[in-house]
Amino acid sequence: MASKDERDVEIHVSSPPPDDCEATRPLLTAACEAYSVSAAILPFFFPALGGLLYGYDIGATSGATISLKSSAFSGTSWYNLSSVQTGLVVSGSLYGALIGSAMAFTIADFLGRRRELVVASVSYLVGALLTAAAPNFLIMVVGRFLYGIGIGLAMHAAPMYIAETAPSQIRGMLISLKEFFIVLGMLLGYIVGSIFVEVLSGWRYMYAASTPICVIMGIGMCWLPASPRWLLLCATQGKGDLRDTKENATRCLCRLRGQPSPDLVSEQVNLILDELSYVGEEKRAGFSEIFQGKCLKAMIIGCGLVFFQQVTGQPSVLYYAATIFQSAGFSGASDATRVSILLGVLKLIMTGVAVLVVDKLGRRPLLIGGVSGIAVALFLLSSYYTFFSGASYVAVIALLLYVGSYQLSFGPIGWLMISEVFPLKLRGRGLSVAVLVNFASNALVTFAFSPLEDLIGTGVLFASFGVIAVASLAFIFCIVPETKGLTLEEIEAKL
């Protein structure tokens, strides 16, 4: 086994390529990690459908609740839902996502990234069908929970699979593009909702419309190869013959890079094994290890980012979007639907900008610039509700600034960073904790907003979110590293 100093030299030799490394040629070699652009598409696309289904649920549910509670269009005898029942319909998938995230902690490393996404697609499909065909309220809530379990598993496994299989030169772009798919799903949900909102039993069609995507995702993940890094991790933990697993991992990496020759990827496989040897060959990582050493650093970075992603008011600002636009003159129900689509388009455009520049500018500049915009937007919203209630344009500008800044920073970069910073041996468990923190923080902000608004007032509440945004900016400055252009093994060594 190579000494620690030799391994450090090996990692240093494989230093990241220069920024001007072209990623447009059919096959990249030399200083860059060699890969075929066409071969990198499907290993991103099928996992990213898990994000699209998550976003679709958010968008479709906004229209489905209107349809479900309508005496004219519900098509049910139980349309007269209480506020608690409506809350269960809206947040049922969120509770399911919390359960799915907790499940991922124990089953992720056993199943592997690919099979976890297959299970997620099945949970999505069963949940969507149950919800769409629900004969009563109880079955509908069960369907919402099952769909949510799919969300929790998919949002855990998709960024891991993409990160572990993507070439380092375009890893940031691909994982950020998953956020683009989430927003695309939201926009698709808004559009489908607007089509069926005035159709008898339209809510059933809204939820059923996601089932073809679930099937495509499941079939696609069955066809894709397993993550080579996960295969090698299993082998070093005594789950299989190392030599056979190394050959299997090499074949998988050849498929993922679009290369016919195993010799071209064998060096990278050896580097992954070197890093696994460096962290030890224990049969299984213990629970306490995720709070020690480099994983503790990764946990602080990852959980801190997804925590601030939610507690800077993201659910609440979007909740207030309809009220803000109503004050600006968009008062009708049809206007509200169009405004939702408008916000979806803005989110899509700004996420597209982040996708295009994340591997050129880096993660930290986007985070710092975007979170600064979020802080300004929150203080503007606070001033609107405190001092300028007659100037609705202030609120509209603040809302658009918030949405644009969020999609440049916390939206895509939060998911990107948590998929990069955890060491391979503990990536499955560490990322499941980060995803659990994300959904728990979302639930906390969503359900605490109304009581806090009544207690301290809307203006003070948005100002408090602004202060938290400033604190998150300090966190990014002091704690969050730059990972642009580094392989996952180099990020692990850096931590």
Side-chain angles (χ1 to χ4, degrees), residues 67 72-75 195-203 205-206:
S67 172
F73 301 111
S74 175
I195 292 171
F196 291 110
V197 72
E198 294 184 352
V199 174
L200 185 64
S201 296
W203 60 273
Y205 300 113
M206 295 179 203

Side-chain angles (χ1 to χ4, degrees), residues 115-190:
R115 283 185 290 186
E116 186 180 353
L117 283 165
V118 172
V119 173
S121 69
V122 173
S123 186
Y124 271 137
L125 179 63
V126 175
L129 290 174
L130 264 184
T131 305
N136 54 54
F137 176 75
L138 178 61
I139 298 299
M140 184 180 189
V141 171
V142 172
R144 299 289 293 139
F145 268 73
L146 284 174
Y147 194 95
I149 289 174
I151 292 174
L153 293 174
M155 298 310 290
H156 170 262
M160 269 203 303
Y161 185 87
I162 296 170
E164 291 185 359
T165 59
S168 57
Q169 301 96 307
I170 58 171
R171 186 181 63 242
M173 181 185 72
L174 292 180
I175 301 176
S176 301
L177 200 57
K178 183 189 70 68
E179 172 70 15
F180 183 88
F181 268 56
I182 294 175
V183 178
L184 184 63
M186 290 174 61
L187 183 58
L188 183 62
Y190 289 138

Side-chain angles (χ1 to χ4, degrees), residues 282-458:
E282 296 86 353
K283 299 299 181 189
R284 184 171 177 85
F287 175 79
S288 62
E289 283 192 61
I290 65 174
F291 301 106
Q292 297 174 11
K294 65 175 73 175
C295 197
L296 176 60
K297 296 177 185 178
M299 190 70 70
I300 292 170
I301 295 166
C303 291
L305 279 174
V306 295
F307 177 75
F308 282 122
Q309 183 188 62
Q310 300 300 328
V311 298
T312 46
Q314 190 259 150
S316 305
V317 172
L318 294 181
Y319 171 81
Y320 249 80
T323 304
I324 290 170
F325 278 106
Q326 282 177 356
S327 69
F330 301 93
S331 55
S334 60
D335 288 336
T337 304
R338 294 191 190 101
V339 164
S340 295
I341 294 174
L342 175 65
L343 278 180
V345 170
L346 175 63
K347 287 167 72 71
L348 201 64
I349 292 171
M350 297 309 294
T351 307
V353 172
V355 167
L356 292 174
V357 302
V358 65
D359 282 318
K360 295 180 180 178
L361 294 181
R363 286 62 160 152
R364 278 173 56 88
L366 286 177
L367 280 172
I368 292 168
V371 175
S372 298
I374 287 173
V376 171
L378 288 168
F379 286 124
L380 274 177
L381 280 173
S382 174
S383 66
Y384 167 72
Y385 283 102
T386 307
F387 305 112
F388 307 115
S389 56
S392 58
Y393 66 90
V394 173
V396 172
I397 291 171
L399 177 63
L400 296 177
L401 175 62
Y402 184 96
V403 170
S405 298
Y406 179 86
Q407 294 307 137
L408 273 177
S409 55
F410 275 144
I413 308 302
W415 291 106
L416 168 58
M417 293 293 292
I418 65 171
S419 65
E420 291 182 323
V421 296
F422 287 102
L424 176 57
K425 188 175 71 166
L426 295 160
R427 186 170 293 141
R429 290 188 163 196
L431 207 141
S432 69
V433 173
V435 173
L436 187 63
V437 168
N438 178 275
F439 286 117
S441 303
N442 188 315
L444 174 66
V445 173
T446 299
F447 297 117
F449 183 81
S450 292
L452 286 174
E453 184 185 24
D454 293 338
L455 182 65
I456 63 178
T458 308

Side-chain angles (χ1 to χ4, degrees), residues 300-301 364 368 470-482:
I300 292 170
I301 295 166
R364 278 173 56 88
I368 292 168
V470 173
S472 69
L473 200 57
F475 172 83
I476 293 165
F477 264 113
C478 300
I479 303 294
V480 177
E482 181 56 72

